[in-house]
Amino acid sequence: MLDFDQADSSGSETKDRKLKLYSYWRSSCAHRVRIALTLKGLEYEYIPVNLIKGGQFDPDFKEINPMGTVPALADGDVVISDSFAIIMYLDEKYPEPPLLPRDLHKRAVNYQASSIVLSGIQPHQNLAVIRYIEEKINTEEKTAWVNNAITKGFTALEKLLVNCAGKYATGDEVCLADLFLAPQINGAINRFQINMEPYPTLTKIYESYNDHPAFQNAVPEKQPDAPSTI
Ligand SMILES: N[C@@H](CCC(=O)N[C@@H](CS)C(=O)NCC(=O)O)C(=O)O
């Protein structure tokens, strides 16, 4: 269940008052925000919400996010849920380094890639959905469902990015799309055992994420609520 007093911090230099991030170690949506916070050099308090034990349904947490999902961010009295809204808020409040390229086409590709992950893939692999399929049908159907969603999304992303990727998704600077892609690829590989061979562009940019400190710090196994053996 929720433990509002259990706090850990990460990130680098402090700016303004301390932000609070409601997170779960294995949540790909919270993972996106963890990368953004560290990229922007923002220190934050990590408040774990245990999704397996039902912390998202705790009335105290539902006051923070009535959708019963992580992440949520509290910036003083300002409370925002939904990773996209949080990341845009942070980018507007802390513009350096910027997450959106000036080039309008590249910017649109960033929105498109982020949207494929946030509305075309993640909702299909979300805990509530896969639990439902497993309970109502069986484990094989759950696995097939998730594989289908990830394969469809990754095929589209590979085609979208093959001609514009550099070190990262849309060039040699980290941009919005990378914050969505890194957690999604990480989960596909480590949680859902997806074969990445058909996606050489995604595989190449994932290697760059693994070399970048802000991405390294945000991975599930480094979070304070991660189990000691995964
Ligand atoms: N669009 C939302 C989706 C949030 C979401 O689905 N979060 C998942 C973890 S990645 C969750 O909290 N699931 C809880 C549940 O399924 O009960 C966002 O991007 O923040």
Side-chain angles (χ1 to χ4, degrees), residues 47-102:
I47 302 179
V49 179
N50 190 323
L51 299 185
I52 300 298
K53 291 188 182 161
Q56 69 274 43
F57 308 121
D58 186 298
D60 287 341
F61 183 67
K62 293 284 280 283
E63 282 291 311
I64 291 162
N65 182 10
M67 286 296 283
T69 56
V70 293
L73 183 86
D75 180 11
D77 293 337
V78 176
V79 178
I80 311 160
S81 51
D82 194 283
S83 61
F84 187 76
I86 296 169
I87 290 168
M88 296 314 285
Y89 172 82
L90 291 173
D91 200 38
E92 281 163 11
K93 185 161 180 186
Y94 305 100
E96 293 301 325
L99 293 175
L100 290 170
R102 293 185 71 80

Side-chain angles (χ1 to χ4, degrees), residues 3-54:
D3 180 357
F4 288 97
D5 294 328
Q6 187 183 340
D8 263 83
S9 60
S10 68
S12 46
E13 84 199 55
T14 309
K15 286 182 190 162
D16 299 340
R17 69 202 146 203
K18 208 165 185 187
L19 299 159
K20 287 182 184 172
L21 177 67
Y22 297 84
S23 178
Y24 177 62
W25 68 281
R26 210 172 60 176
S27 157
S28 63
C29 306
H31 188 166
R32 300 165 189 162
V33 177
R34 296 194 299 255
I35 301 169
L37 287 164
T38 307
L39 275 175
K40 300 280 184 187
L42 296 165
E43 196 174 287
Y44 62 96
E45 187 180 336
Y46 186 107
I47 302 179
V49 179
N50 190 323
L51 299 185
I52 300 298
K53 291 188 182 161

